[in-house]
């Protein structure tokens, strides 16, 4: 809010004046300082960053990736979902192969069930923007960012996940400058170009035989990302797919879907094909939005740091939920939660597993933790207090507002549900938002035992 207000004010007073204001305001503690601190930068640092990016230097967060033990191919399908996606999924199932679908928001609106099916069958979903229109997407980083958010909301509504994998329409070469890469990195996304272009979109109707010949040329790296398409009109890609799979099987490759633990492939920038410029004010605005997105991921327990304890697959949680491949009607075990010294027992009927994550009733959880909860019927909001934390689960806006250490964060939480008067929330994300975390979970004597380390409601360092 503060940033928006500032941006509007700046339009009026002009850039010079705006910059003076920016720097003087930045020294004032408060919400604005909070936004900057979240990006880990002082005003002077922010200015340096802007100039470095402007000079074309790419800047990344420190991250670690995992190299696979055997040569691995990541088949990727762009521009869907379309009716062809169902055929691709049939073939992948038949061949017992996992892949990744970079979907368009526009297409997900028409075929949400195909996104759900892909997830249920163990594939990953990535964001390929809303409409794929180059001249819009590459007119400026803000437009690209807005299309990503729009698509992310559509995918969240369709399938309850927020993908962190991104594919740039047309690839990043000649399209992405250092600013584009920077905001996506700061927001917790990973961008994937490819090693092998199957050539299936070189022109309309490239025959299957030609697609296969192109893929055969390689290069065959230890980790190979193959670009294919499952949008309308790509029947020949579907036709070529079984042979493409056979080719990699013969070469001894394992197949996997992408996760944020896979080292991304980034093309060099080349000469940017578009004329655009980004002001320092626009840069700050985008950086604030990216920071907010990252904090949303943290609140939902979907980042490496937040889910490091007891979550082996960590960063991939958002993309390929644990247990996604499990038989749907496999009975749940009773759940025993150890909340520090306190305990909560839930029978199998009292909680749910959704995309492999526990969703528990909010009231018994909060009461077992020693917190207070009440339901505000007129606002359709469950209000939780736990020591220095306050959380409002607002079902009229489907949003979670968190207050801790004097700051407020609102996040869209598609997983919260109101069923027959009971509020269900994702266990891990809820504990994290109250300063607690899951220490470990295990199956013991016919029940699930989850141990959490508790903050006691004491806000040491606000998460948000
Ligand atoms: Zn595309």
């Amino acid at each position: 809010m503060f940033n928006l207000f500032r941006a509007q004010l700046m339009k009026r007073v002009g850039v010079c004046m705006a910059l003076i204001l920016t720097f003087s305001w930045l020294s004032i503690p408060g919400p604005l300082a909070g936004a900057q601190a979240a990006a880990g930068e002082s005003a002077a640092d922010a200015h340096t960053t802007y100039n470095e990016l402007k000079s074309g230097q790419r800047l990344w967060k420190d991250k670690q990736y995992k190299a696979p033990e055997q040569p691995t191919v990541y088949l990727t399908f762009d521009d869907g979902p379309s009716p062809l996606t169902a055929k691709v999924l049939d073939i992948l199932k038949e061949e017992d192969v996992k892949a990744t679908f970079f979907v368009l928001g526009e297409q997900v609106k028409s075929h949400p069930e195909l996104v759900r099916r892909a997830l249920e069958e163990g594939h990953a979903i990535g964001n390929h923007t809303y409409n794929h229109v180059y001249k819009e997407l590459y007119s400026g980083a803000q437009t690209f960012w807005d299309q990503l958010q729009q698509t992310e909301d559509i995918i969240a509504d369709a399938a309850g996940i927020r993908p962190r994998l991104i594919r740039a329409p047309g690839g990043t070469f000649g399209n992405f400058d250092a600013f584009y890469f920077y905001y996506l990195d700061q927001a917790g996304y990973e961008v994937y170009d490819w090693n092998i272009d199957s050539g299936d979109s070189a022109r309309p109707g490239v025959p299957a035989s030609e697609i296969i010949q192109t893929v055969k040329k390689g290069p065959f790296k230890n980790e190979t990302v193959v670009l294919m398409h499952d949008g309308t009109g790509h029947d020949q890609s579907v036709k070529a797919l079984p042979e493409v799979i056979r080719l990699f099987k013969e070469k001894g490759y394992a197949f996997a879907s992408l996760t944020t633990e896979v080292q991304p492939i980034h093309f060099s920038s080349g000469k940017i094909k578009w004329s655009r410029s980004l002001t320092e004010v626009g840069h700050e605005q985008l950086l604030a939005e990216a920071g907010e997105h990252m904090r949303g991921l943290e609140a939902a327990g979907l980042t490496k740091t937040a889910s490091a304890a007891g979550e082996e697959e960590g960063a991939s949680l958002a993309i390929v939920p644990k247990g996604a491949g499990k038989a749907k009607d496999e009975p749940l075990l009773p759940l025993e939660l150890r909340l520090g010294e306190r305990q909560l027992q839930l029978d199998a009927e009292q909680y749910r597993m959704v995309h492999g994550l526990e969703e528990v009733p909010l009231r018994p959880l909060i009461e077992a933790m020693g917190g207070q909860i009440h339901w505000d019927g007129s606002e359709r909001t469950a209000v939780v207090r736990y020591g220095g934390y306050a959380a409002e689960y607002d079902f009229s806006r489907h949003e979670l507002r968190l207050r801790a250490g004097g700051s407020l964060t609102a996040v869209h939480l598609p997983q919260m549900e109101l069923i027959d008067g009971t509020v269900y929330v994702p266990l891990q994300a809820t504990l994290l938002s109250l300063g607690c975390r899951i220490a470990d979970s295990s199956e013991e004597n016919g029940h699930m035992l989850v141990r959490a380390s508790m903050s006691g409601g004491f806000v040491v360092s606000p998460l948000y």
Side-chain angles (χ1 to χ4, degrees), residues 78-79 102 104 128 132 134 167-170 227 229:
D78 289 11
D79 301 356
F102 286 100
L104 293 170
H128 195 41
H132 211 281
Y134 296 163
R167 160 112 359 113
L227 169 69
H229 293 82

Side-chain angles (χ1 to χ4, degrees), residues 226-252:
V226 181
L227 169 69
M228 296 184 77
H229 293 82
D230 64 336
T232 311
H234 283 285
D235 306 70
Q236 292 297 311
S237 306
V238 179
K239 197 175 164 197
L241 181 56
E243 187 59 35
V244 169
I245 292 172
R246 202 160 307 134
L247 178 73
F248 282 98
K249 282 187 174 172
E250 278 169 13
K251 289 184 181 293

Side-chain angles (χ1 to χ4, degrees), residues 174-380:
N175 293 323
F176 265 35
D177 54 31
F179 289 104
Y180 274 64
F181 280 113
Y182 183 65
Y183 304 126
L184 301 189
D185 183 57
Q186 288 288 314
Y189 296 116
E190 293 285 0
V191 179
Y192 291 86
D193 286 313
W194 52 83
N195 313 99
I196 299 181
D197 178 353
S198 70
D200 67 345
S201 65
R203 56 183 195 282
V206 176
S209 56
E210 190 179 320
I211 296 170
I212 295 159
Q213 285 312 313
T214 306
V215 174
K216 272 189 182 161
K217 289 181 196 151
F220 298 99
K221 309 238 177 169
N222 190 47
E223 287 184 275
T224 299
V225 177
V226 181
L227 169 69
M228 296 184 77
H229 293 82
D230 64 336
T232 311
H234 283 285
D235 306 70
Q236 292 297 311
S237 306
V238 179
K239 197 175 164 197
L241 181 56
E243 187 59 35
V244 169
I245 292 172
R246 202 160 307 134
L247 178 73
F248 282 98
K249 282 187 174 172
E250 278 169 13
K251 289 184 181 293
Y253 273 84
F255 293 78
S257 36
L258 288 169
T259 76
T260 48
E261 292 191 339
V262 177
Q263 171 102 47
I265 295 170
H266 297 147
F267 295 147
S268 65
S269 292
K271 185 170 161 34
I272 301 296
K273 298 174 216 161
W274 313 90
S275 92
R276 61 189 177 220
S277 65
L278 182 69
T279 63
E280 199 152 350
V281 174
H283 164 69
E284 277 185 32
Q285 178 65 34
L286 268 161
L287 190 52
E289 288 183 42
E292 201 168 302
H293 186 271
M294 188 68 184
R295 288 191 295 283
L297 287 177
E298 282 165 1
L302 298 177
T303 56
K304 281 180 190 179
T305 41
S307 60
E311 277 300 341
E312 197 193 351
E313 59 271 70
S316 63
L317 203 58
I319 300 132
V320 188
K322 168 177 75 174
K326 260 191 190 171
K328 249 191 178 159
D329 36 13
E330 194 173 303
L332 292 180
L333 297 171
L335 181 65
E336 181 182 337
L337 293 173
R338 299 252 175 94
L339 305 157
E341 303 288 291
R342 298 160 181 266
Q343 279 193 30
L344 175 65
Q345 312 263 3
L346 295 170
D347 294 338
E349 312 76 64
Q350 289 178 295
Y351 76 106
R352 306 147 36 83
M353 290 294 280
V354 179
H355 295 301
L357 297 173
E358 294 93 353
E359 294 193 356
V360 300
L362 185 60
R363 179 176 292 275
L365 174 69
I366 297 302
E367 288 176 348
M369 289 168 68
Q372 293 94 45
I373 176 169
H374 82 267
W375 174 251
D376 180 340
S378 62
E379 301 288 329
R380 288 173 53 76

Side-chain angles (χ1 to χ4, degrees), residues 1 52 80 89 114 164 204 362:
M1 186 192 77
E52 282 171 348
L89 286 168
L114 289 170
R164 293 172 60 198
L362 185 60

Side-chain angles (χ1 to χ4, degrees), residues 7-8 14 41-42 52 76 82 107 123 146 154 239 260 278 297 311 404 410 455 463:
Q8 279 161 6
E41 292 194 326
S42 70
E52 282 171 348
T76 65
S82 81
Q107 292 298 113
H123 306 292
D146 291 344
I154 293 168
K239 197 175 164 197
T260 48
L278 182 69
L297 287 177
E311 277 300 341
S455 68
L463 264 173

